[in-house]
Amino acid sequence: MERVKDILKKMFCLPVFQTIILAAPSFMLVIYVLAEHIDGPLAYLSYAASTYALIVVLSGFFRIVHIVWQKVNQHPLGKRLTKDIKFKAELSLTVGFAINLLYIVMKMASGIYYHSLWFVSLAIYYALLAMMRLSLLYPRRQSDYTAELHRYRLCGMILLLMNLVLMGIVIFMVHQNRGYEYPGMLIYAMAAYSFYAVILAAVNVVKFRKQGSPVLSAAKAINLVAAMVSILSLETAMLAQFGGNDDPLFRKTMTGATGGGVCIMVLGLAIYMIAKSTKQLKGIN
């Protein structure tokens, strides 16, 4: 078994210089074959060479990532970033809060300049997101469980307000038959990001419940809500780009159904957070 591993390592784990010498001509050859629509032995040779080169390049890339990851974990700050769950949550909240502030300024300025209720509604949505993140960041040093429950419940209350804003945004989308737009190939990148964000947020909500920290659970609940809204925005963009404009009724129906589902889930999450925290606070008192 060890001999097989050594052989595979020698075949696919090449030094950087050898990887470049192998990959560059292989990729150039397959590009030439595809561009000229060449068939026959040369085409098969190019496919085999490029496949082998791709495996070698990926092997080198993952080795580099592994080395960088080890270096990061050796540094005190890097180790804290990868191991300290509360520090990572605080950092995520801080970055998210800064991004939300940027969106608030952009959307509100656009709403005022274009006299657009659409942009103003989005600005209010991002303002509520920022408010929730700020409520979890301040005060940072307060680690009392009762205080965390109060902040957890506050997030649930803000979610109720946010749900009203989301309902307004959905109604505006359906009534005006409009939504988000992503130019060119950007829509594919946004689709990949949106599905990744939803899966990661759902996993983290379940995962961080086991930590026993209401603040961490609330932070992941905020990410889940933001991810669900990103799916809604992605749907409107895909309907606009891939034929939704040809059938306005279909677009309105799909937007209304998805938007209604998101609003119901956000409402359920808000009620759950308020009810759970209130029950636990009564038990403590």
Side-chain angles (χ1 to χ4, degrees), residues 13-256:
C13 299
L14 303 181
V16 176
F17 182 72
Q18 293 182 17
T19 300
I20 296 173
I21 293 297
L22 170 70
S26 299
F27 293 151
M28 291 176 64
L29 178 61
V30 76
I31 291 172
Y32 172 75
V33 167
L34 292 174
E36 298 296 329
H37 304 286
I38 297 175
D39 294 324
L42 182 61
Y44 301 138
L45 175 63
S46 68
Y47 299 151
S50 61
T51 302
Y52 175 64
L54 180 61
I55 295 173
V56 171
V57 169
L58 290 176
S59 172
F61 173 76
F62 287 123
R63 276 183 292 147
I64 292 172
V65 170
H66 180 68
I67 293 171
V68 171
W69 184 255
Q70 287 182 327
K71 294 292 185 181
V72 168
N73 281 324
Q74 290 174 1
H75 193 277
L77 179 60
K79 189 174 183 180
R80 192 179 182 192
L81 282 170
T82 56
K83 303 296 183 181
D84 192 335
I85 295 176
K86 288 189 176 181
F87 179 74
K88 287 195 296 183
E90 281 192 357
L91 182 62
S92 175
L93 286 169
T94 304
V95 173
F97 176 70
I99 294 174
N100 287 157
L101 287 181
L102 179 62
Y103 273 119
I104 292 167
V105 174
M106 291 172 56
K107 299 300 182 183
M108 187 59 72
S110 299
I112 295 172
Y113 182 79
Y114 293 108
H115 303 284
S116 172
L117 183 61
W118 167 253
F119 286 123
V120 173
S121 300
L122 292 176
I124 296 173
Y125 161 72
Y126 286 114
L128 291 172
L129 267 182
M131 191 184 301
M132 282 193 293
R133 288 189 164 111
L134 183 62
S135 70
L136 296 178
L137 284 171
Y138 180 83
R140 293 186 181 184
R141 296 182 180 179
Q142 193 171 8
S143 58
D144 180 69
Y145 187 75
T146 303
E148 288 198 12
L149 284 175
H150 281 291
R151 290 151 74 184
Y152 183 80
R153 184 168 62 178
L154 177 61
C155 281
M157 294 175 179
I158 298 175
L159 270 182
L160 285 179
L161 293 176
M162 178 181 288
N163 197 53
L164 295 176
V165 176
L166 283 177
M167 289 173 61
I169 292 175
V170 172
I171 292 172
F172 188 85
M173 284 179 172
V174 174
H175 181 68
Q176 299 290 332
N177 198 21
R178 67 168 297 175
Y180 290 80
E181 293 181 3
Y182 300 113
M185 301 295 290
L186 183 60
I187 190 170
Y188 298 104
M190 292 306 301
Y193 168 76
S194 298
F195 286 113
Y196 166 78
V198 167
I199 294 171
L200 182 64
V203 170
N204 281 337
V205 165
V206 177
K207 177 181 176 182
F208 278 81
R209 284 183 62 189
K210 301 176 182 179
Q211 297 294 328
S213 172
V215 167
L216 292 179
S217 297
K220 300 310 169 184
I222 293 172
N223 290 342
L224 179 60
V225 171
M228 288 191 296
V229 175
S230 70
I231 288 292
L232 174 61
S233 64
L234 174 65
E235 182 194 68
T236 60
M238 295 187 74
L239 286 173
Q241 186 159 335
F242 300 112
N245 287 327
D246 298 334
D247 188 354
L249 180 60
F250 173 76
R251 179 176 177 177
K252 288 183 177 182
T253 303
M254 291 299 296
T255 302

Side-chain angles (χ1 to χ4, degrees), residues 265-280:
M265 286 188 285
V266 173
L267 178 62
L269 182 60
I271 293 174
Y272 170 79
M273 292 173 68
I274 294 172
K276 179 182 178 181
S277 56
T278 301
K279 181 179 180 180
Q280 291 186 353

